[in-house]
Amino acid sequence: MSREVAWRVFAAEFNSSSLEMKGEGEKTPSYLISPLGAKMNRIFVVGVLTDNENVGNENEPVWRAKITDPTGTFYMTAGQYQPEAAMVLAKLQPPCFVAVVGKFRTYSPEEGKLYVSIRPERVGKVEASVRDGWVLETCKATVDRISAMEEAMKLGEPTVEKLIQIGSSRPLAEGVVHSMQHYSPEDLSRYKGMVSDALKFLLPEYQTGPDLPVEHDIPEEIEDDDEPDDVDKEALVLSMIEGLDSGKGAAWDEVVQKARSQGIEREELDAIANSLLDKGFVYEPVLGRMRKI
Amino acid sequence: MDREELAPHADELARVLGEKVDKNKIMDDLDKYVNLYRVSLEWAKRDILKKMGGDPDSVGDGSERKNVAELTGAEQSVDLLVKVLTVNPKTIEVGGVSKNIVYGYVADESGRVPYTIWETESVQMKEGSTVIVRNAYTKEYKGNPQLNLGNRASVEESDEVLDVADMPSGGSAEVKIAELTDGMNYVIVSGKIGRPEQREITVSGEKKMIVTGILSDETGSAEFTVWKEMELNDGDEVRVIGAYVKSWRGMPKLNLGDKAEVQVLERGTLGDISGSVPKPRTLEDVELAGGAMDVVVHGTLVDVREGSGLVMRCPDCRRVLQKSTCRVHGKVKGIDDLRIKAILDDGTSSMSVIFGKELTEQMLNISIDEAVKMTTEERNPDAVKEMAEEKLFARPLEVRGMVRSDDYGPMLIAREARFMEIDVREEGAKLLTELEGFN
């Protein structure tokens, strides 16, 4: 059995994934299919460790960490079955650059909802240059997936063989076909914008200041919204989270509903929530719940 | 199929044959072929046309009839009359599930083309047989067409005799060394001869001279054996015609049998290959080839495996000791050695890689004496392994070496390695420009 390749995906693409293909039997792996057709079992991620907390106890530690990239935040949990990763996390003080190789894991609080996080196999502290290299590599990989999606859309009813014929690798061709069946037609320009922004993050001419925390700006740029409007909406969402919190944090589904009733759609809400997380106004005590700090 | 359903097809045949044949005769024949002999309708039409002096290619189902030399690599549906040169079954991994495929070469008088059968249940071919392939598709790989037989394809044996044994050499495409895969036949490849050696072997009691050596081009190197006497010099640039490929531990090796021909080219024809580094290949490409004698890959080190770091080896057999004990020689005084076993992953595939003592020293910037000292002082047998994890994990590397395959899959035995320095600004700006065009 050959080892599963480690996909290079940005947080925004990873977190938008809602199609899980469970392997049948013991030896067949499960896959998470992203909207761009990444057929992931294992992923490779480099970003900034922004939060790192032992939510277990001294004897049975469970480390929960957040890693941001230029597009969003990866959530990661390492417990007793990830002893090496947990040991490394125990020694890391955020913020620092970390690299993670791990498998996806999903949490589905109800039918039709899927939250994804990383179960790390290996975690290590790295230098900024490794992160920059990863951003570039992930931009290239994302562009390849966008191209494959575009080709597939042109075909109308794409088959795996046809996509391979055009030049996709087999795993990507399979992922693209699954993606097209599951996701409503994806707005690829949103992902192109995401890649552009991630590239600009690497290029000094696009950076306005040396300490600019670019992560904060990206979601807003993707949404193409006006700055002041956004700040108001962030305040609004923050008050929603506070209002819906009965002690264990506000359930994300309820936040989504409430936001919708106030005219904030899901994508925009994701961006606002990411921004709030990044700015440290809220945190996630458990996956799927948010609390005001 | 009743006669009423057959009628329009009989009409079509009558039209093609002109009015020279009686329509009732056509109808009777068609009825006999289809209903009595159970020949497929399409095939029946072709046979009748041929028998009555018409062109069988003038009827069809939209699939184009071509000969091999006409293939462009963009055919959606194509029919060919070909001789099956080679048939190689192979099991591949498709999304974690193993799948049987068959690959090899087919040829007609115009040339030869590699093929892959993706549905081995429904489509089978026999080596040496002549067949009509229907509804195949092609794609281009490194500038050459490849024939694919997917789930729509079918194959029927044919009695026609194709003269492919004396196929003109110009009719088949020349390949690069990196493209050599196990089971290839009638290979044409050019390269520079390295380390030629005349050897005497004994074949069924008779002494025979053979030549072995290495053939290199800009994509890689492969060992070769010429199974006859031949004068070859180090540095000769040659074009080999009609070789076949057999792999040993996954590494493709060229064999030049009695029919193979070697043309010595004027020196300099192939440019300067000596001392040049092969072009980087993806891990997926190397894995599909099964191995390579000399390969350069770029990838990220995603895991450091057990057994890495400072190890003790048996002084007699070099086996790694477990608790100062050799599996064969028992308790011995071991010799210190350094090695790293790791996984390299480039996003297309992943592969085991082994770095020996010199490369471990170089990459960790530590000598073996320092490694021994560190391990003793820290009282930690894994001190060097932990150092390797810290210094190598997630780092992009360029590795050159040899890839061999065994039951555990392909393994890269590194000869050179370096940390890659990527100019993210330059490459990022380039990609951004492309992307803005793409928006």
Side-chain angles (χ1 to χ4, degrees):
Chain A
M1 180 100 136
S2 64
R3 183 187 157 100
E4 290 288 335
V5 71
W7 290 76
R8 279 67 163 164
V9 284
F10 284 123
E13 185 182 343
F14 183 67
N15 292 337
S16 301
S17 305
S18 60
L19 174 59
E20 183 179 11
M21 300 183 61
K22 287 214 165 77
E24 285 161 26
E26 264 179 43
K27 291 269 169 88
T28 45
S30 296
Y31 295 98
L32 180 69
I33 312 289
S34 83
L36 295 180
K39 192 180 168 203
M40 302 170 277
N41 173 271
R42 173 178 279 126
I43 63 171
F44 171 51
V45 164
V46 186
V48 182
L49 182 76
T50 54
D51 189 13
N52 188 25
E53 192 191 354
N54 182 1
V55 295
N57 56 48
E58 201 124 308
N59 295 325
E60 285 176 9
V62 177
W63 286 90
R64 187 159 292 148
K66 288 178 203 159
I67 296 162
T68 61
D69 75 3
T71 73
T73 305
F74 291 100
Y75 301 92
M76 180 166 86
T77 307
Q80 56 168 322
Y81 299 111
Q82 295 81 38
E84 290 188 30
M87 257 170 62
V88 175
L89 280 171
K91 288 183 211 151
L92 291 179
Q93 279 295 326
C96 64
F97 293 115
V98 290
V100 178
V101 171
K103 303 225 170 177
F104 74 92
R105 87 175 182 182
T106 57
Y107 163 65
S108 182
E110 63 182 90
E111 187 74 27
K113 292 259 182 317
L114 198 70
Y115 297 105
V116 295
S117 61
I118 306 173
R119 191 184 66 211
E121 294 170 299
R122 195 166 278 288
V123 179
K125 195 173 168 181
V126 295
E127 315 77 55
S129 62
V130 173
R131 192 272 310 267
D132 290 353
W134 178 84
V135 170
L136 178 68
E137 199 183 352
T138 306
C139 282
K140 288 181 182 168
T142 309
V143 167
D144 285 348
R145 289 194 287 276
I146 292 171
S147 306
M149 286 299 289
E150 282 182 331
E151 292 296 339
M153 285 174 179
K154 273 188 231 156
L155 287 173
E157 280 180 23
T159 62
V160 172
E161 297 302 332
K162 269 207 178 118
L163 291 170
I164 291 173
Q165 205 177 322
I166 296 167
S168 290
S169 72
R170 183 165 285 273
L172 179 55
E174 288 170 353
V176 165
V177 170
H178 289 307
S179 162
M180 296 221 8
Q181 284 161 359
H182 172 79
Y183 297 97
S184 49
E186 274 296 328
D187 181 11
L188 296 177
S189 62
R190 174 180 161 223
Y191 288 102
K192 287 181 191 170
M194 177 186 90
V195 175
S196 288
D197 289 339
L199 284 170
K200 286 172 187 168
F201 168 90
L202 296 175
L203 304 172
E205 56 268 39
Y206 291 98
Q207 289 169 14
T208 51
D211 295 315
L212 182 72
V214 179
E215 288 92 343
H216 299 181
D217 282 358
I218 301 301
E220 291 155 17
E221 283 179 25
I222 288 174
E223 295 312 316
D224 214 10
D225 272 329
D226 295 324
E227 197 66 47
D229 192 8
D230 251 32
V231 174
D232 290 349
K233 281 184 181 163
E234 280 183 11
L236 185 64
V237 172
L238 190 61
S239 70
M240 276 179 212
I241 290 170
E242 198 177 5
L244 290 166
D245 186 354
S246 53
K248 291 186 210 156
W252 180 241
D253 304 341
E254 291 172 24
V255 179
V256 172
Q257 271 178 14
K258 186 97 184 229
R260 187 169 294 136
S261 72
Q262 306 260 359
I264 300 172
E265 282 309 314
R266 177 63 193 271
E267 275 182 15
E268 193 181 355
L269 179 65
D270 283 343
I272 293 168
N274 274 335
S275 176
L276 288 171
L277 283 162
D278 288 340
K279 288 175 185 168
F281 288 130
V282 297
Y283 73 106
E284 285 182 288
V286 291
L287 204 58
R289 285 192 176 269
M290 277 200 190
R291 282 201 89 171
K292 190 178 168 193
I293 292 171
Chain B
M1 223 177 191
D2 61 38
R3 290 176 80 95
E4 204 173 300
E5 286 172 85
L6 291 173
H9 298 286
D11 288 346
E12 191 193 346
L13 293 175
R15 229 178 12 254
V16 173
L17 290 163
E19 298 305 320
K20 58 188 172 191
V21 187
D22 180 5
K23 208 153 139 186
N24 289 327
K25 170 89 175 67
I26 295 176
M27 191 64 202
D28 286 344
D29 267 357
L30 200 55
D31 187 26
K32 201 159 69 188
Y33 268 88
V34 173
N35 294 321
L36 182 61
Y37 295 116
R38 306 249 163 216
V39 174
S40 75
L41 176 66
E42 205 214 329
W43 207 230
K45 285 163 76 179
R46 283 176 167 272
D47 281 355
I48 292 168
L49 275 177
K50 205 170 161 195
K51 195 170 81 178
M52 299 187 173
D55 176 8
D57 290 343
S58 54
V59 293
D61 56 354
S63 192
E64 213 179 343
R65 177 75 177 258
K66 284 194 171 179
N67 64 37
V68 169
E70 288 167 339
L71 296 177
T72 63
E75 283 81 11
Q76 302 272 357
S77 185
V78 66
D79 297 349
L80 298 152
L81 176 70
V82 287
K83 186 167 179 181
V84 184
L85 301 179
T86 51
V87 176
N88 308 291
K90 184 174 180 178
T91 304
I92 57 168
E93 289 276 339
V94 180
V97 182
S98 51
K99 178 180 171 70
N100 295 319
I101 62 162
V102 168
Y103 68 98
Y105 273 89
V106 292
D108 63 13
E109 276 126 327
S110 72
R112 69 176 179 126
V113 63
Y115 73 86
T116 305
I117 298 176
W118 297 100
E119 302 297 331
T120 52
E121 291 280 303
S122 56
V123 180
Q124 280 126 20
M125 303 207 285
K126 267 210 321 270
E127 203 167 304
S129 64
T130 299
V131 294
I132 292 167
V133 174
R134 297 182 178 289
N135 293 318
Y137 63 91
T138 64
K139 61 175 189 170
E140 197 188 292
Y141 183 65
K142 292 183 178 158
N144 296 315
Q146 291 194 310
L147 190 66
N148 291 279
L149 285 76
N151 49 18
R152 288 189 308 120
S154 63
V155 165
E156 295 190 51
E157 297 240 357
S158 165
D159 296 333
E160 278 191 57
V161 177
L162 280 178
D163 186 19
V164 297
D166 302 313
M167 189 174 59
S169 55
S172 65
E174 184 157 343
V175 296
K176 294 290 178 196
I177 286 174
E179 293 165 354
L180 298 177
T181 51
D182 191 19
M184 273 184 162
N185 261 326
Y186 302 97
V187 171
I188 302 178
V189 62
S190 295
K192 193 174 265 189
I193 301 279
R195 309 207 293 266
E197 202 180 319
Q198 307 280 339
R199 291 189 194 180
E200 193 181 76
I201 57 163
T202 308
V203 183
S204 38
E206 277 182 53
K207 288 201 189 315
K208 192 178 172 171
M209 288 302 291
I210 63 165
V211 194
T212 60
I214 292 161
L215 191 72
S216 306
D217 69 7
E218 73 279 12
T219 68
S221 300
E223 281 180 28
F224 71 81
T225 304
V226 186
W227 296 98
K228 57 185 171 188
E229 249 184 294
M230 191 177 282
E231 180 71 29
L232 288 171
N233 301 307
D234 199 59
D236 274 354
E237 290 173 31
V238 297
R239 183 160 189 260
V240 174
I241 298 158
Y244 61 94
V245 181
K246 273 216 157 125
S247 285
W248 182 77
R249 291 195 182 171
M251 281 187 293
K253 296 193 170 194
L254 271 176
N255 288 271
L256 285 74
D258 286 339
K259 286 179 192 155
E261 188 193 328
V262 175
Q263 297 171 349
V264 178
L265 308 170
E266 198 179 316
R267 290 218 175 185
T269 310
L270 302 175
D272 187 20
I273 299 167
S274 58
S276 76
V277 180
K279 279 186 195 141
R281 291 165 69 181
T282 65
L283 290 173
E284 185 186 28
D285 184 29
V286 178
E287 189 182 7
L288 286 174
M293 220 188 114
D294 186 10
V295 75
V296 173
V297 296
H298 294 165
T300 300
L301 196 139
V302 293
D303 200 9
V304 175
R305 309 301 294 264
E306 286 305 316
S308 296
L310 190 64
V311 292
M312 300 283 260
R313 288 190 187 276
C314 173
D316 293 328
C317 66
R318 305 266 313 142
R319 278 187 181 83
V320 171
L321 305 182
Q322 304 294 335
K323 292 176 184 156
S324 310
T325 309
C326 172
R327 194 148 56 83
V328 177
H329 299 94
K331 206 134 186 114
V332 289
K333 185 160 171 24
I335 303 166
D336 290 317
D337 195 14
L338 278 177
R339 67 167 180 192
I340 295 170
K341 293 163 89 174
I343 304 280
L344 209 60
D345 184 311
D346 69 354
T348 72
S349 191
S350 63
M351 198 174 281
S352 301
V353 55
I354 288 208
F355 302 99
K357 178 173 150 248
E358 280 74 26
L359 286 178
T360 303
E361 286 181 325
Q362 174 207 315
M363 287 195 297
L364 301 185
N365 197 17
I366 187 175
S367 72
I368 186 158
D369 296 338
E370 287 164 344
V372 173
K373 201 170 153 217
M374 182 173 83
T375 305
T376 321
E377 278 174 5
E378 290 183 19
R379 292 166 187 262
N380 177 5
D382 281 336
V384 180
K385 177 175 179 258
E386 284 166 16
M387 187 184 199
E389 283 165 1
E390 200 178 296
K391 288 192 173 185
L392 303 180
F393 173 66
R395 270 53 165 208
L397 301 175
E398 178 179 271
V399 182
R400 181 178 186 178
M402 173 172 81
V403 177
R404 296 205 308 214
S405 291
D406 60 21
D407 293 347
Y408 301 101
M411 175 175 284
L412 171 57
I413 297 140
R415 194 169 82 226
E416 293 169 19
R418 64 176 186 89
F419 294 99
M420 281 173 72
E421 279 165 31
I422 302 154
D423 190 338
V424 291
R425 288 185 181 175
E426 193 190 317
E427 283 198 47
K430 210 175 104 200
L431 188 59
L432 187 61
T433 315
E434 281 169 24
L435 200 65
E436 313 253 272
F438 173 83
N439 266 321

